Amino acid sequence: MASSDISVDVRLDFNAFDHIPSMRYIATDRPWLKLYGIRCLPDELLFEIFTRMSPYTLGRAACVCRKWKYTARNPTLWRTACLKTWQRNGVEANYRMVQSLYDSSWRRMWLQRPRIRSDGLYVSRNTYIHTGVTEWQFKKTVNVVCYYRYLRFFPSGKFLYKISPEKIKDVVKCMHFRASKSDCVFKGDYVLSEDGQVELALLYPGNRYTLVRMRLRLRGTTLGANNRLDVLKILTTGVNATELKNWKGSILELVEGWEEDETHDPDVPAVSHSRGLSPFVFVPFEEADTSVLNLPVEKMDYYVPG
């Protein structure tokens, strides 16, 4: 049979598809796109909004979409954050450092350079066993005592320190320079070295002045987090009242060059503490009420700072 003898009608009858119902596509609702009019917000206005964000909020905003990510990479935003964080070093020193060590990238400097965070509290949770005495019984009661060390740092080189059994949601309200004496919040000075070592010094007032010195090591669970402080040493020593009265500088400058076992008051010996050295965990202010550190002792046996 010849090929010319075969005839096939290939014309389609489009009317035959009229009975097929139209399909409705299911798309994920993305309400955040409405924040800037489905990508219609001007770049100048978006940049102005980003300048009012903290660096960590800026990092979260960069995860929303591609446009926000590119806007968040603007060097001006990270330069402002770096100059504010390391203001004690001076503007010229920061410019020289970013050019020589971080390839002129302010964002890289923010992520890689050791940095004390000031947007929250560093909290150290410590526990110990206290054996009580009960009369007319053969067994003694055993109590688990829990207390916290709180640190709040400021870019100016000052910090606040408090030891309390209270939870962070209650302590965060009084961790400021206007705290009353009943809050037992003490002020001190600190310095951070480029290798992540933190030196702190504060003075306990009273009948005999007691000087507290701490040596901490800064680290992070992720790049740029800086959310852990390992306690290397805690020292308490005495200081002469006359020496304090004539001193005009900071407390940290006063103890510079002191030996670890050095004391300037024979009634207050130098003591190196071996307990209460749990690492400090950083808790942002916005998470103070919901932090796991607010849980009672019986629900915190599993807690590991990391």
Side-chain angles (χ1 to χ4, degrees):
M1 183 182 294
S3 60
S4 59
D5 297 335
I6 301 176
S7 60
V8 179
D9 188 7
V10 296
R11 292 177 299 176
L12 298 177
D13 185 8
F14 291 98
N15 296 328
F17 298 96
D18 293 342
H19 67 281
I20 300 179
S22 60
M23 299 180 61
R24 302 179 64 182
Y25 293 94
I26 300 176
T28 304
D29 186 21
R30 295 185 290 178
W32 57 86
L33 295 180
K34 301 177 182 179
L35 295 176
Y36 52 94
I38 313 299
R39 305 180 186 274
C40 295
L41 191 67
D43 294 341
E44 296 80 6
L45 182 57
L46 184 63
F47 177 78
E48 190 67 24
I49 295 174
F50 279 17
T51 56
R52 288 163 168 76
M53 293 183 180
S54 66
Y56 290 92
T57 305
L58 195 63
R60 298 187 187 101
C63 300
V64 172
C65 64
R66 186 176 300 176
K67 180 178 181 179
W68 285 25
K69 178 181 178 180
Y70 291 154
T71 306
R73 293 294 182 94
N74 193 306
T76 305
L77 301 173
W78 300 101
R79 179 186 62 190
T80 304
C82 290
L83 295 179
K84 181 180 179 180
T85 302
W86 292 288
Q87 57 183 273
R88 298 180 64 192
N89 298 58
V91 177
E92 295 183 1
N94 285 320
Y95 267 93
R96 289 194 298 267
M97 182 172 294
V98 72
Q99 293 174 1
S100 60
L101 300 179
Y102 302 100
D103 297 332
S104 300
S105 174
W106 292 100
R107 182 174 177 271
R108 182 178 300 176
M109 180 179 180
W110 174 265
L111 292 175
Q112 298 181 0
R113 187 178 178 184
R115 164 178 41 84
I116 290 288
R117 297 183 61 171
S118 58
D119 56 329
L121 302 181
Y122 286 91
V123 186
S124 173
R125 179 181 180 273
N126 300 274
T127 58
Y128 65 91
I129 303 298
H130 176 72
T131 304
V133 178
T134 57
E135 298 180 356
W136 309 108
Q137 292 185 11
F138 295 98
K139 295 182 179 179
K140 295 182 179 180
T141 59
V142 177
N143 301 315
V144 179
V145 181
C146 179
Y147 69 96
Y148 302 87
R149 299 181 189 270
Y150 295 98
L151 288 172
R152 181 183 179 184
F153 294 91
F154 296 88
S156 59
K158 302 292 183 180
F159 76 95
L160 298 177
Y161 178 68
K162 180 180 176 65
I163 298 181
S164 174
E166 299 178 6
K167 302 296 189 296
I168 183 174
K169 62 181 180 181
D170 300 320
V171 173
V172 71
K173 303 174 184 178
C174 65
M175 291 296 287
H176 50 76
F177 288 111
R178 299 182 303 275
S180 61
K181 291 185 178 180
S182 60
D183 293 326
C184 296
V185 177
F186 301 96
K187 181 176 65 175
D189 302 285
Y190 78 94
V191 61
L192 172 65
S193 62
E194 292 300 328
D195 59 352
Q197 298 283 339
V198 188
E199 295 284 344
L200 304 93
L202 63 94
L203 189 67
Y204 276 142
N207 296 329
R208 294 188 179 92
Y209 288 102
T210 302
L211 192 65
V212 181
R213 301 160 61 189
M214 298 188 207
R215 185 176 299 117
L216 311 175
R217 180 177 62 244
L218 180 66
R219 62 182 176 90
T221 53
T222 58
L223 180 63
N226 296 292
N227 54 357
R228 296 292 187 272
L229 282 173
D230 294 326
V231 182
L232 303 181
K233 192 173 289 293
I234 297 180
L235 303 170
T236 55
T237 183
V239 60
N240 193 293
T242 306
E243 187 178 12
L244 279 176
K245 184 177 180 181
N246 300 329
W247 185 257
K248 301 300 182 181
S250 65
I251 299 298
L252 198 60
E253 295 174 349
L254 175 65
V255 300
E256 186 177 1
W258 284 25
E259 300 293 336
E260 293 186 357
D261 57 348
E262 183 176 352
T263 180
H264 290 203
D265 188 349
D267 295 330
V268 183
V271 178
S272 178
H273 298 268
S274 59
R275 296 183 179 181
L277 305 182
S278 299
F280 285 85
V281 178
F282 182 79
V283 180
F285 289 126
E286 59 268 19
E287 299 178 10
D289 292 335
T290 60
S291 173
V292 69
L293 292 170
N294 291 310
L295 295 177
V297 176
E298 59 270 13
K299 295 184 179 180
M300 289 288 290
D301 292 340
Y302 64 89
Y303 177 73
V304 179

